[in-house]
Amino acid sequence: MTTGTITPFTNEALVDFSREENKSLMRAALDKVKRELGQDYPLHIGGRKVMTEAKEVSINPGDISQVIGRVSQASIEDAEEALQAALQAFESWKKVPARDRAEFLFKAAELMRRRKHEFSAWMVYESGKNWSEADADTAEAIDFMEYYAREMIRLSETNIHRPLTKIPGEDNELTYIPLGVGAVIPPWNFPLAICAGMTTAAIVSGNTVLLKPASPTPVIAYKFVALMEEVGVPAGVINFIPGDGAKIGDYLTSHPKIRFINFTGSKEVGLRINRKAAETAEGQIWIKRVIAEMGGKDGIVVDETADLDQAAAAIVASAFGFQGQKCSAGSRAILVESVYDRVLEKVVQLTESLKSGLPEDNFPVGPVIDRKSYDKILSYIEIGRKEGRLAAGGDKAEGNGYYIQPTIFADVNPARASCRRKSSGRCWRWRKPRIGKRPLRFTTIPNSDLPAPSSPVTKTGSRMR
């Protein structure tokens, strides 16, 4: 689309994979991407493509013998060179009118829309998402670009649509100005949507960025960077510098010329970034800004007024969609005593019916992201065996990848470790508050790893408050 024909924002439609023509298109995209696996990918530093000797090998978590790509790894020297390129590009990029910057996002969104299945296929192979999960990720990336482009145009026209109060003898205007160079550090669980969202929000505002993708999913991040280059985003506006998270991340966070850090990931890393960014480096002349979205530990609360079949289905979808690897995924169910056994039985039946397998074959349950997550989840399952009653799963699943059975533990005390810690994977815990207790009290656990949003399933909220 062009900025001359801006329509109101609407969410990108999700693909209906029950239709045979959509299945055929997705299979064709998977076949195309499969033929392109195993390539080497360079850094992007200013206008240069830099192929380094050190490379991160990205593998398919559903078939660990399959190499997705070998991605060059930035050194501290590379990161510094990229930062200088971003500083230089900022001097001209900040002067580009907001509508012109937004146009790049509109073009990128349209091009991604045309190649939607191809982008989704890369995520199927690299992040282990099934078709619907990958499609939703791609749709959200398109949404971010469409929305942020419109928002930047709106903000640039503040003096037209919402002018400041007139004061006699004064001529006042409100102008939003870009900050400078920022570091963008996205997560692996939404390797396209959040990567694209955090990056394009920054550049459409007139900033330049250094993009350090998540180690398990660097290839899909590279594909996004290549798309932005294809639509004409000038060299140096987006610099692609995958590398060691601790070394490169700490270097960027502490650098005196970094104005802001966009981060999505774990609480531990987010707090470290916030702490290091708060320290004033030598030569720093401003306060750095940190936009950190850290994970959550969600609980679902069910009382006796709820539709129990609906509640059970929602619990299973929340717990095991994308193998539970989302900050929005449920990890605990809190059920009032009168419905506890019935809901647990329904959930166990639904869970045991789930089939695991290759994401490219569109199984409802796939692998977890990598060996580290695999080992960590299995260790939590062993803790769960000691702290609760195993109701479903509890073991490795078949396949040449990081497959784990969807697992449920019942009768878990909220004070125990298995209920307090975040495990990004397929392990659910159940709690039974007695009638008269307030179930929402159990969804917020003091001094646990993460805060706990809750999702009540009830026809009346009186006891939930």
Side-chain angles (χ1 to χ4, degrees), residues 115-126:
R115 302 174 186 169
K116 178 185 289 190
H117 294 309
E118 187 176 333
F119 276 94
S120 296
W122 280 106
M123 282 185 282
V124 168
Y125 286 116
E126 189 171 41

Side-chain angles (χ1 to χ4, degrees), residues 26-39:
M26 187 63 186
R27 291 192 188 103
L30 287 163
D31 289 342
K32 179 180 183 298
V33 168
K34 194 169 189 176
R35 293 192 295 270
E36 299 174 9
L37 298 180
Q39 297 182 23

Side-chain angles (χ1 to χ4, degrees), residues 213-244:
S215 295
T217 52
V219 174
I220 187 62
Y222 183 90
K223 297 297 179 180
F224 161 71
V225 172
L227 176 78
M228 300 308 291
E229 181 182 46
E230 184 176 349
V231 300
V233 172
V237 173
I238 302 175
N239 299 274
F240 180 69
I241 53 166
D244 181 88

Side-chain angles (χ1 to χ4, degrees), residues 185-187 189 263-270 292-296 422 450:
I185 308 174
N189 60 343
F263 169 79
T264 299
S266 71
K267 171 188 175 184
E268 178 186 10
V269 175
E293 178 190 356
M294 296 175 279
K422 178 179 184 289
L450 292 166

Side-chain angles (χ1 to χ4, degrees), residues 260-279:
F260 61 92
I261 302 101
N262 289 353
F263 169 79
T264 299
S266 71
K267 171 188 175 184
E268 178 186 10
V269 175
L271 292 180
R272 177 179 176 82
I273 288 172
N274 194 55
R275 184 172 62 253
K276 293 186 75 65
E279 298 172 355

